[in-house]
Amino acid sequence: MRPTDRLFFAVLPDAETGEAICSARRHLCEKAGLQGTEVPPEQLHVTLWRVGDYVVPPTAEDIDAIVRQASTVEMPPFRLSFGSAKSHSRGALVLCGGRGSADLENLSTRLRDALTSPGAERRRAFLPHMTLMRSETILPERRIKAIGWTVREIVLVHSQLGRAKHRAVGRLPLRGRQLPLPGFDF
């Protein structure tokens, strides 16, 4: 049987940042002559960890258990920004590079560790990015005016595969104390 549903954890831009991202996408499309299928503003996200694919929709109990497991992850809010755009795998135009990539990687690793059994197979390396659209035109990496926001929560998203439908089914605030930088006293 073929999966119909997916659960994944993501960070989402706030509404103002979402508007700035869509504006940057329009500008890139005009300047580079890009055409394709745009990710709707309400679906813009950075995937942190794919929990899994399902052949039937996950139950409320499944979702509650996943959120409980993920609630053990502690990390303070952090600033995230993207300063480049480029074509990525399978025709995706993505935002990448910028401030907070290490924090995203750290958060992804913490989620992976909280949600997988010790010794379980690990998926490929985490590459922080946000997909803007699908296009057959290849765009080499271009610097853009940095677009960013403060990441304050992680969101469990339920996606209906092949239907481009996303729905937030769980939200967890980032929490934890900020660690001092080495060599600095606070």
Side-chain angles (χ1 to χ4, degrees):
M1 294 182 73
R2 201 173 191 165
T4 57
D5 296 79
R6 174 174 291 158
L7 289 176
F8 63 92
F9 276 99
V11 295
L12 311 178
D14 56 57
E16 183 179 323
T17 305
E19 288 176 23
I21 291 167
C22 290
S23 177
R25 176 176 58 199
R26 278 191 301 279
H27 181 72
L28 277 168
C29 288
E30 289 169 6
K31 203 149 181 119
L34 296 174
Q35 294 181 341
T37 305
E38 295 181 350
V39 173
E42 66 277 4
Q43 290 183 11
L44 292 170
H45 68 276
V46 178
T47 300
L48 293 168
W49 183 253
R50 190 173 86 202
V51 176
D53 292 348
Y54 301 80
V55 293
V56 295
T59 66
E61 292 79 19
D62 294 333
I63 291 167
D64 288 345
I66 292 164
V67 170
R68 262 193 316 278
Q69 279 182 275
S71 72
T72 64
V73 172
E74 286 193 21
M75 187 160 169
F78 60 91
R79 191 82 183 136
L80 171 65
S81 66
F82 292 108
S84 298
K86 69 177 182 176
S87 292
H88 193 47
S89 64
R90 297 180 300 185
L93 175 67
V94 302
L95 291 180
C96 57
R99 182 178 176 184
S101 290
D103 291 317
L104 279 175
E105 289 180 53
N106 187 4
L107 184 53
S108 176
T109 299
R110 290 178 186 202
L111 278 168
R112 178 200 68 201
D113 292 347
L115 296 169
T116 59
S117 304
E121 183 181 336
R122 304 296 187 197
R123 295 188 197 134
R124 63 187 170 147
F126 176 73
L127 300 169
H129 69 278
M130 177 185 286
T131 301
L132 301 177
M133 68 185 297
R134 300 268 177 217
S135 175
E136 291 185 21
T137 305
I138 302 299
L139 181 73
E141 187 166 351
R142 288 192 180 183
R143 300 286 306 151
I144 62 167
K145 181 180 177 188
I147 301 170
W149 73 97
T150 300
V151 176
R152 299 184 191 287
E153 68 177 357
I154 57 175
V155 180
L156 180 61
V157 178
H158 175 206
S159 171
Q160 294 179 327
L161 299 173
R163 296 189 198 158
K165 289 187 178 183
H166 290 183
R167 181 172 60 98
V169 293
R171 294 179 180 274
L172 291 168
L174 290 182
R175 60 192 180 5
R177 68 184 182 92
Q178 189 75 39
L179 297 175
L181 296 172
F184 290 91
D185 291 323
F186 288 96

